């Protein structure tokens, strides 16, 4: 059995780690380099770095901060934000990323998934999806959750995997920052449609939420920000708790 992954996420805006609720009301949390160092030592399985305003501002990702973050850690690093071309993939990987996350860039140009998977391998391409319920449908949103694309998120996930995405991060806008648990209904719908690793994001409030997540088939990792940033939950304690509940963990 493959070990499940606990993944803290650094949402970076203007060079600082921020956090909000339902993708809104962002507040300053910390320095990303210090936080990366902390998570490397705290037992995280991977780290995610999102430059959360790169797409909406139409610019490239902050590579100077990314280089500093990558130099501080010895765990896999997934990076996203403003990824629109193969050159963007190349730039981010050269800064120290292990995997590259595409969201708005793939919506604008789905061929980027095919091209990147061919050049770097499926395992390098992470399809990140910001999803919200609209009129009973799981709808795909772009530009940091600001723009309703009108696309059915589950159809999009299936297409992305066929074109070469090796992993999916599902960010539920409905549960983001609310701390009432992961969006299990949305995650189950996704697991029924794709057969690549799924990373759940949005809603973690306590250790029990992760135990509940991993009781659902197809869930490979739990991603969270505020509960780890605020030290509300210790990653090492969480992993020991989950191991005690029968979940395979790297301790």
């Amino acid at each position: 059995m493959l070990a499940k992954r606990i993944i803290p996420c650094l949402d970076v805006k203007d060079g600082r780690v921020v956090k909000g609720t339902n993708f809104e009301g962002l507040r300053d949390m910390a320095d990303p380099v210090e936080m990366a160092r902390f998570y490397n030592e705290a037992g995280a399985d991977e780290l995610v770095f999102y430059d959360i305003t790169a797409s909406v501002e139409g610019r490239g990702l902050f590579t100077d901060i990314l280089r500093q973050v990558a130099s501080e850690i010895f765990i896999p690093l997934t990076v996203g934000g403003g990824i629109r071309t193969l050159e963007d993939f190349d730039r981010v990987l050269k800064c120290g990323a292990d995997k590259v996350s595409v969201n708005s860039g793939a919506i604008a140009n789905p061929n980027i998934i095919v091209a990147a998977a061919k050049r770097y391998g499926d395992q390098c391409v992470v399809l990140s999806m910001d999803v919200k319920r609209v009129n009973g449908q799981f709808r795909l949103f772009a530009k940091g959750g600001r723009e309703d694309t009108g696309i059915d998120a589950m159809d999009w996930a299936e297409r992305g995997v066929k074109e070469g995405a090796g992993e999916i991060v599902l960010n539920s806008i409905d549960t983001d920052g609310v701390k009432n648990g992961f969006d299990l209904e949305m995650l189950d719908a996704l697991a029924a449609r794709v057969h690549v690793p799924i990373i759940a994001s949005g809603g973690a409030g306590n250790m029990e939420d992760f135990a509940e997540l991993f009781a659902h088939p197809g869930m490979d990792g739990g991603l969270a920000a505020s509960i780890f940033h605020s030290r509300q939950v210790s990653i090492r304690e969480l992993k020991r708790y989950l191991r005690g509940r029968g979940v395979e963990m790297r301790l």
Side-chain angles (χ1 to χ4, degrees):
M1 187 194 296
L2 286 174
K4 304 299 185 184
R5 291 174 277 161
I6 302 299
I7 307 171
C9 175
L10 307 182
D11 291 327
V12 179
K13 179 178 187 284
D14 300 328
R16 298 283 294 174
V17 176
V18 296
K19 193 67 191 91
T21 303
N22 305 126
F23 282 39
E24 295 177 349
L26 298 176
R27 63 191 185 279
D28 185 275
M29 296 287 291
D31 171 71
V33 180
E34 286 177 12
M35 197 155 266
R37 190 184 302 129
F38 167 75
Y39 285 129
N40 184 70
E41 294 166 358
D45 294 298
E46 296 184 12
L47 184 66
V48 169
F49 178 109
Y50 287 140
D51 185 340
I52 60 169
T53 55
S55 289
V56 74
E57 291 171 5
R59 60 166 171 79
L61 184 140
F62 290 126
T63 50
D64 53 342
I65 297 169
L66 174 56
R67 276 194 195 90
Q68 292 176 62
V69 164
S71 71
E72 291 290 339
I73 66 174
F74 301 95
I75 53 177
L77 175 63
T78 298
V79 177
I83 307 295
R84 291 180 283 275
T85 65
L86 278 183
E87 289 69 32
D88 291 330
F89 264 81
D90 202 51
R91 191 162 49 91
V92 165
L93 290 167
K94 282 176 177 167
C95 286
D98 299 283
K99 295 185 275 190
V100 182
S101 174
V102 284
N103 189 333
S104 296
I107 295 167
N109 173 24
N111 292 330
I112 185 68
I113 299 174
V114 181
K118 278 184 183 169
R119 183 178 291 186
Y120 303 109
D122 293 9
Q123 80 292 338
C124 183
V125 183
V126 179
L127 181 62
S128 178
M129 308 195 321
D130 297 333
V131 183
K132 187 176 181 179
R133 289 166 178 79
V134 179
N135 299 325
Q137 182 185 46
F138 294 127
R139 197 78 63 79
L140 183 69
F141 277 65
K143 295 182 179 172
R146 293 170 175 83
E147 185 180 288
D148 183 354
T149 64
I151 298 169
D152 180 282
M154 302 305 149
D155 290 347
W156 174 246
E158 205 169 298
R159 177 181 174 183
V161 169
K162 280 178 184 165
E163 291 180 347
E167 184 169 285
I168 291 180
V169 174
L170 179 63
N171 311 297
S172 170
I173 298 174
D174 295 323
T175 60
D176 173 69
V178 178
K179 298 186 181 179
N180 281 336
F182 291 99
D183 198 328
L184 299 172
E185 180 191 26
M186 191 183 285
L187 289 159
D188 286 342
L190 178 62
R193 296 284 291 272
V194 301
H195 301 286
V196 295
I198 295 171
I199 308 302
S201 172
N206 53 46
M207 293 196 283
E208 290 77 13
D209 291 336
F210 286 88
E212 198 172 343
L213 171 70
F214 292 132
H216 285 243
M219 302 302 122
D220 290 81
L223 184 150
S226 53
I227 63 164
F228 295 145
H229 296 348
S230 64
R231 316 291 200 262
Q232 183 183 337
V233 170
S234 151
I235 291 177
R236 279 207 171 82
E237 285 178 16
L238 171 61
K239 292 171 93 170
R240 281 195 286 267
Y241 165 81
L242 290 169
R243 167 87 56 102
R245 296 282 294 263
V247 180
E248 186 63 32
M249 282 280 139
R250 290 184 206 91
L251 295 181

